[in-house]
């Protein structure tokens, strides 16, 4: 989840103007499927008023899971429409869009202990994928092209190690 205190902490550590930074952050907290389906329209309203280069979406699939009232086929279809809208938004407004996705325990009998939520859709629609793994205070990042790096996150932000 977005934590303003981390932005403040990193801004202070690097002597950045935190007020200027906060004035350029727009947060939408999507807690329901219906609200998330409208989120691209809300982002569009915001970017028409300001110069936006980056959109971060924390856990794209969270609201598309655990819905008893919607059949899984309908949820997948809605997620695909959401990804298509985000793709169009990125293309038409020259934006970088970064999404996170949850990894859940894999309950089938395969050898994989974890499985990405809606991995079948995500594998077909996301251009660059970065897999993060935390090992104590060290993070490891590997992308879908096999490139790898280790880094730490501290009060100044992200540092490669």
């Amino acid at each position: 989840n977005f934590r303003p205190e981390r932005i403040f902490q990193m801004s202070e550590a690097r002597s950045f103007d935190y007020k200027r930074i906060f004035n350029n952050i727009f947060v939408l907290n999507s807690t329901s499927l219906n609200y998330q389906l409208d989120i691209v329209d809300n982002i569009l309203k915001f970017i028409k008023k300001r110069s936006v280069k980056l959109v971060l979406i924390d856990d794209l699939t969270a609201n598309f899971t655990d819905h008893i009232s919607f059949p899984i086929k309908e949820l997948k279809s809605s997620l695909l429409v959401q990804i298509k809208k985000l793709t169009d938004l990125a293309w038409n407004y020259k934006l970088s869009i970064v999404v996170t996705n949850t990894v859940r325990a894999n309950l089938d009998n395969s050898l994989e202990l974890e499985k990405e939520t809606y991995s079948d859709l995500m594998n077909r629609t996301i251009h660059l994928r970065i897999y993060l793994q935390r090992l104590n205070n060290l993070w490891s990042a590997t992308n879908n092209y096999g490139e790898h790096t280790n880094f730490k996150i501290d009060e100044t932000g992200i540092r490669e190690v």
Side-chain angles (χ1 to χ4, degrees):
N1 292 344
F2 174 72
R3 293 184 24 219
E5 62 272 13
R6 288 291 292 134
I7 302 295
F8 178 78
Q9 184 182 38
M10 288 184 280
S11 299
E12 275 199 327
R14 292 182 174 237
S15 300
F16 293 154
D17 180 0
Y18 71 89
K19 289 179 183 176
R20 184 170 168 251
I21 292 170
F22 277 115
N23 284 335
N24 288 303
I25 296 175
F26 178 62
V27 177
L28 293 171
N29 188 9
S30 178
T31 57
S32 73
L33 179 59
N34 288 332
Y35 186 80
Q36 186 164 345
L37 292 174
D38 293 334
I39 210 153
V40 173
D41 294 330
N42 290 324
I43 294 169
L44 187 56
K45 287 176 193 172
F46 182 76
I47 65 175
K48 285 184 175 181
K49 296 176 187 173
R50 296 185 173 215
S51 174
V52 175
K53 304 289 182 211
L54 174 66
V55 174
L56 302 169
I57 300 174
D58 188 13
D59 203 348
L60 178 66
T61 61
N63 290 314
F64 292 91
T65 59
D66 304 325
H67 281 280
I68 299 169
S69 56
F70 294 100
I72 191 73
K73 188 174 182 180
E74 188 176 322
L75 287 170
K76 282 185 173 185
S77 176
S78 295
L79 178 58
L80 204 52
V81 168
Q82 179 89 8
I83 293 169
K84 172 73 169 98
K85 284 181 176 181
L86 288 168
T87 302
D88 291 346
L89 189 70
W91 185 262
N92 293 333
Y93 290 89
K94 296 178 179 30
L95 296 172
S96 294
I97 297 181
V98 176
V99 299
T100 67
N101 192 19
T102 53
V103 175
R104 303 182 192 285
N106 193 4
L107 300 177
D108 64 18
N109 290 329
S110 72
L111 297 175
E112 288 182 297
L113 298 177
E114 298 175 331
K115 184 175 183 178
E116 181 181 7
T117 306
Y118 292 117
S119 60
D120 54 332
L121 289 179
M122 303 305 278
N123 287 335
R124 292 182 290 155
T125 57
I126 302 300
H127 170 67
L128 177 65
R129 302 166 57 86
I130 300 173
Y131 303 92
L132 298 175
Q133 185 176 22
R134 186 175 184 174
L135 310 162
N136 297 322
N137 289 330
L138 183 68
W139 287 84
S140 173
T142 307
N143 68 22
N144 51 323
Y145 300 108
E147 299 165 325
H148 177 83
T149 191
N150 291 321
F151 61 94
K152 284 188 173 190
I153 301 174
D154 61 22
E155 65 278 349
T156 64
I158 299 173
R159 289 186 301 116
E160 191 170 11
V161 291

